[in-house]
Amino acid sequence: MYKKTGKQTIIFENPIYINAFSSVVGKKEGQGPLNNFFDIVNDDTTFGEKSWEKAEMAMQKQAFELALGKASMNTDTLDYIYAGDLLNQCIASSFAHRYTKIPYFGLYGACSTMIESLILASMAIDGGFARNTASIVSSHFCSAERQYRLPLEYGGQRPPSSQWTVTGSGCVILSLDSKKKITITAALTGYIEDLNITDANNMGAAMAPAAYNSLSQFFKDTSTLPSDYDLILTGDLGYYGSKILKKLFLENGIKLGDNYNDCGLMIFDRKKQDVHSGGSGCGCSASVLCSYVLKEMENGRYKNVLLAGTGALLSPISSLQGESIPGICHIVRLEVI
Amino acid sequence: MYKKTGKQTIIFENPIYINAFSSVVGKKEGQGPLNNFFDIVNDDTTFGEKSWEKAEMAMQKQAFELALGKASMNTDTLDYIYAGDLLNQCIASSFAHRYTKIPYFGLYGACSTMIESLILASMAIDGGFARNTASIVSSHFCSAERQYRLPLEYGGQRPPSSQWTVTGSGCVILSLDSKKKITITAALTGYIEDLNITDANNMGAAMAPAAYNSLSQFFKDTSTLPSDYDLILTGDLGYYGSKILKKLFLENGIKLGDNYNDCGLMIFDRKKQDVHSGGSGCGCSASVLCSYVLKEMENGRYKNVLLAGTGALLSPISSLQGESIPGICHIVRLEVI
């Protein structure tokens, strides 16, 4: 049985249940509009550790243990972990899970990694390879700044199109038969799109074409329109990238309405929090999904949600070598059943 | 239907056919014992590019296009690419595939990435999500040296336990119904094992316990013994790591016989090529698989092979911060049917 619909979309045979989820964020995220939805807001962004990298490992570990607890599971019950982050060689993830003894798939999809991990985990469950999985990612403002840009101590100026890496981690436990309310019913894996944008301070613009490709293909494959969903979310296009996405849809005769939003615009208050174009990072879409989105689905506010995780597949080295910024966008459809 | 056998092993419902494969390596690899098995040996390790990173991108692109050609496919026929490499943010892979328009899963499993990608691709095919997939990884001695250790120009001394990153890329096209001779029939996804080894110049030692865990679990899950296989290969334990692995098995009453070898020991002639403990890197197991192993399976020399890809999930930053080296090992079973 071939589970593809149209060109790129998968419709899962079984509903993949979201058994439990958790979100852990830093102080600045806790001061934003979604404050009440996060499980843990840690005012100490060091998480009690001696380096920013170790802080991120600790944060991811905390999110993982919290989700496992909420699902009333121990590590033996999990077939696989699908994890990733933005650090070189993805060390936040590998160190966070080094003592769990759970079979581990390391992923790198830049800021789209949470959705990549949900797609692969859903495939494993639907394909008969797993009963329970964990999808987890993280990003940390301080570890990301010094790796991608400048040490914090340097106090560099940021252009208006730059985005603020979210300090946050989100974890989702998927199960074959938890019979909870929220399920993943469909998914689309994006291809890489590179339209030769080279400004690493405007990643929203670099990712918007990939988001347009994936979303428009999903609508086509499933014969749906944006108005068929309660909520359509991109991961971290930010203010400028979201504007480009809406323009791309308009140019093709489709209006993204008030049901469209971007996790990077939801997690911070741009007027009060000095984050320029909005939030970004693996932890952005993950922590918004694992707080506001899933809790409001549980509360009955949303029933049918598209989450389109966006990623910019560059590195500081590729930018220094004059390369453009390849973008990608993966989608999952979340439904209350 | 739940496709797990024992604790960690998957037995695929359908044989997953290896439709085509390709290997592209550098000059030093071409001077080694496997010279005649590689598809392309490029004596210019820059691959005509201006940086080592761009060279690696070009090499991976070459391997991909070669495999696609051998399978008589165009990019439209592939459902997914599963790709990864060792560079920060995995840029060799994302840039190599940025114009293919094939749905893309970015992976990071350090030197185990080829096996990780084969497992995920096999799951997608067996689960009904794909008909044809590409698994591809790369590593390049020069891009790895300057990222992980020292710029080549520095001419640093290397301790005897250090390994030599293979300049190489391997690509495998898997298909649901190509009806070729070689298939993937089983797989085991490893968990992370960290026994507190901290010497980044002895990664074989850090990875050997993970290799022991995964291989012994695979034997247990499938009720087989090492003697049941024509060939058991680890990815890149090298001379010292392989010795530790054999010792760990002996301590547990099992002798790894002459059918055991390590890709890192096969790709170079340690006595003549000054590579210390042997080859390593994503490209090591990938290029040995996609040359000697699969060609000798086609030739009838081997019928039943276990390939255990080993990875050290460290980064230069984690080592500088005094962290130990988490290891991982994933396994696929290859059978001629």
Side-chain angles (χ1 to χ4, degrees):
Chain A
M1 187 189 156
Y2 193 52
K3 296 167 186 170
K4 260 202 190 161
T5 297
K7 196 179 152 208
Q8 244 173 296
T9 303
I10 282 170
I11 308 287
F12 294 110
E13 202 180 341
N14 310 290
I16 314 295
Y17 291 95
I18 294 189
N19 190 336
F21 56 92
S22 67
S23 59
V24 177
V25 299
K27 184 177 176 181
K28 191 181 181 88
E29 291 69 23
Q31 291 165 342
L34 303 186
N35 174 42
N36 293 331
F37 292 96
F38 299 120
D39 292 321
I40 297 176
V41 175
N42 205 318
D43 282 342
D44 172 13
T45 40
T46 73
F47 286 72
E49 299 289 337
K50 284 186 179 166
S51 74
W52 299 126
E53 291 75 20
K54 288 180 200 258
E56 189 175 339
M57 294 167 196
M59 177 174 62
Q60 192 174 135
K61 200 159 170 263
Q62 198 172 36
F64 175 69
E65 286 167 2
L66 185 60
L68 209 62
K70 284 191 188 187
S72 305
M73 280 183 185
N74 56 38
T75 50
D76 281 352
T77 328
L78 281 177
D79 293 289
Y80 300 109
I81 294 179
Y82 298 78
D85 59 89
L86 299 176
L87 296 183
N88 298 343
Q89 289 73 54
C90 306
I91 50 169
S93 307
S94 50
F95 283 83
H97 304 291
R98 62 177 152 169
Y99 301 127
T100 59
K101 296 198 184 294
I102 304 167
Y104 177 90
F105 289 111
L107 309 178
Y108 184 76
C111 306
S112 73
T113 308
M114 187 64 182
I115 311 304
E116 179 183 359
S117 76
L118 288 171
I119 294 175
L120 289 168
S122 300
M123 282 184 175
I125 291 176
D126 202 50
F129 306 109
R131 289 191 176 116
N132 303 292
T133 62
S135 293
I136 181 163
V137 305
S138 64
S139 57
H140 193 299
F141 176 74
C142 304
S143 61
E145 278 304 299
R146 77 166 169 188
Q147 177 181 287
Y148 284 103
R149 285 165 285 264
L150 296 161
L152 293 178
E153 296 80 355
Y154 180 79
Q157 284 288 311
R158 301 155 61 85
S161 60
S162 70
Q163 293 176 238
W164 188 280
T165 305
V166 165
T167 299
S169 177
C171 180
V172 171
I173 310 273
L174 295 178
S175 295
L176 179 62
D177 43 21
S178 80
K179 309 290 181 231
K180 299 255 172 104
K181 278 173 75 167
I182 310 170
T183 64
I184 294 178
T185 55
L188 177 145
T189 305
Y191 60 81
I192 299 171
E193 177 69 285
D194 190 332
L195 295 184
N196 221 25
I197 290 160
T198 53
D199 180 3
N201 280 309
N202 193 358
M203 288 196 284
M207 297 187 287
Y212 174 74
N213 290 343
S214 293
L215 280 167
S216 58
Q217 190 65 50
F218 189 89
F219 295 137
K220 200 172 163 190
D221 286 349
T222 54
S223 304
T224 58
L225 289 168
S227 54
D228 292 325
Y229 301 90
D230 301 328
L231 188 64
I232 298 170
L233 285 178
T234 44
D236 56 347
L237 294 183
Y239 178 74
Y240 294 100
S242 296
K243 270 180 82 159
I244 296 170
L245 179 66
K246 286 192 238 180
K247 192 162 165 260
L248 287 170
F249 268 105
L250 263 189
E251 283 169 6
N252 288 277
I254 294 174
K255 191 174 181 318
L256 283 183
D258 290 342
N259 60 341
Y260 167 67
N261 210 335
D262 181 75
C263 298
L265 292 173
M266 294 162 72
I267 195 164
F268 294 123
D269 183 331
R270 283 180 65 236
K271 288 184 186 149
K272 292 182 190 157
Q273 290 191 284
D274 193 28
V275 294
H276 299 292
S277 187
S280 68
C282 284
C284 180
S285 55
S287 64
V288 172
L289 168 68
C290 295
S291 59
Y292 176 80
V293 177
L294 291 174
K295 285 187 182 171
E296 288 291 49
M297 288 187 83
E298 282 184 339
N299 295 339
R301 179 164 179 181
Y302 302 119
K303 289 198 165 61
N304 194 2
V305 174
L306 283 191
L307 183 55
T310 39
L313 299 168
L314 80 168
S315 83
I317 291 280
S318 67
S319 292
L320 286 171
Q321 293 183 4
E323 282 290 3
S324 52
I325 304 173
I328 198 161
C329 174
H330 304 304
I331 298 174
V332 288
R333 184 171 69 198
L334 301 161
E335 286 186 89
V336 173
I337 59 166
Chain B
M1 187 190 155
Y2 192 53
K3 296 167 185 169
K4 262 204 188 157
T5 296
K7 196 179 151 208
Q8 243 173 295
T9 304
I10 282 170
I11 308 287
F12 294 110
E13 201 179 341
N14 310 290
I16 314 296
Y17 291 96
I18 293 188
N19 190 336
F21 54 94
S22 66
S23 58
V24 178
V25 298
K27 185 177 176 181
K28 191 180 182 87
E29 291 69 24
Q31 292 165 341
L34 303 186
N35 174 41
N36 292 331
F37 292 96
F38 298 121
D39 292 321
I40 297 175
V41 175
N42 205 317
D43 282 342
D44 172 13
T45 40
T46 72
F47 286 73
E49 299 289 337
K50 285 186 178 167
S51 75
W52 299 126
E53 291 75 20
K54 287 180 201 255
E56 189 176 339
M57 294 166 195
M59 177 174 63
Q60 191 173 137
K61 198 157 172 264
Q62 199 172 35
F64 176 68
E65 286 167 1
L66 185 60
L68 210 61
K70 285 192 189 185
S72 306
M73 283 185 183
N74 56 38
T75 50
D76 281 353
T77 328
L78 282 178
D79 293 288
Y80 300 109
I81 294 179
Y82 298 78
D85 58 89
L86 298 176
L87 297 183
N88 297 343
Q89 289 73 56
C90 306
I91 51 171
S93 306
S94 51
F95 282 84
H97 305 291
R98 64 177 151 170
Y99 302 127
T100 60
K101 295 198 184 295
I102 304 166
Y104 177 90
F105 288 112
L107 310 178
Y108 184 76
C111 307
S112 73
T113 308
M114 187 64 182
I115 311 304
E116 180 183 359
S117 77
L118 288 171
I119 295 175
L120 288 168
S122 300
M123 282 184 175
I125 291 176
D126 201 50
F129 307 108
R131 288 191 177 118
N132 303 292
T133 61
S135 293
I136 181 164
V137 305
S138 64
S139 58
H140 194 299
F141 175 74
C142 305
S143 61
E145 278 303 300
R146 76 166 168 188
Q147 177 180 286
Y148 284 102
R149 284 164 285 265
L150 296 161
L152 293 178
E153 296 80 355
Y154 180 79
Q157 285 289 312
R158 301 154 62 84
S161 60
S162 71
Q163 294 177 240
W164 188 279
T165 305
V166 165
T167 299
S169 178
C171 180
V172 171
I173 310 272
L174 295 179
S175 294
L176 179 62
D177 42 23
S178 80
K179 309 288 179 233
K180 299 256 171 105
K181 278 174 75 167
I182 310 170
T183 63
I184 294 178
T185 55
L188 176 144
T189 306
Y191 61 82
I192 300 171
E193 178 69 284
D194 189 332
L195 295 185
N196 220 24
I197 289 159
T198 53
D199 180 2
N201 280 311
N202 193 358
M203 289 196 285
M207 297 187 287
Y212 174 75
N213 290 344
S214 292
L215 280 166
S216 58
Q217 189 65 50
F218 188 89
F219 296 136
K220 200 173 162 189
D221 286 351
T222 55
S223 304
T224 58
L225 290 168
S227 54
D228 291 326
Y229 301 91
D230 301 329
L231 187 63
I232 298 169
L233 286 177
T234 43
D236 57 348
L237 294 183
Y239 179 72
Y240 294 99
S242 296
K243 268 181 84 161
I244 296 170
L245 179 66
K246 286 191 238 179
K247 195 164 163 258
L248 286 170
F249 268 105
L250 263 189
E251 283 170 6
N252 288 279
I254 294 174
K255 191 174 182 318
L256 283 183
D258 290 342
N259 60 340
Y260 167 68
N261 210 335
D262 181 75
C263 298
L265 292 172
M266 294 163 71
I267 195 164
F268 295 123
D269 183 329
R270 283 180 65 236
K271 287 183 187 150
K272 292 183 191 155
Q273 290 191 284
D274 193 27
V275 293
H276 298 293
S277 187
S280 67
C282 284
C284 180
S285 55
S287 63
V288 172
L289 168 69
C290 295
S291 59
Y292 176 80
V293 178
L294 291 174
K295 285 187 182 170
E296 288 293 48
M297 289 188 83
E298 282 184 340
N299 295 339
R301 181 166 179 180
Y302 302 118
K303 290 197 163 62
N304 194 2
V305 174
L306 282 193
L307 182 54
T310 38
L313 300 168
L314 79 168
S315 84
I317 290 280
S318 67
S319 292
L320 286 172
Q321 292 182 5
E323 282 290 3
S324 52
I325 304 173
I328 197 161
C329 173
H330 305 304
I331 299 174
V332 289
R333 184 171 70 199
L334 301 160
E335 285 186 90
V336 172
I337 59 166

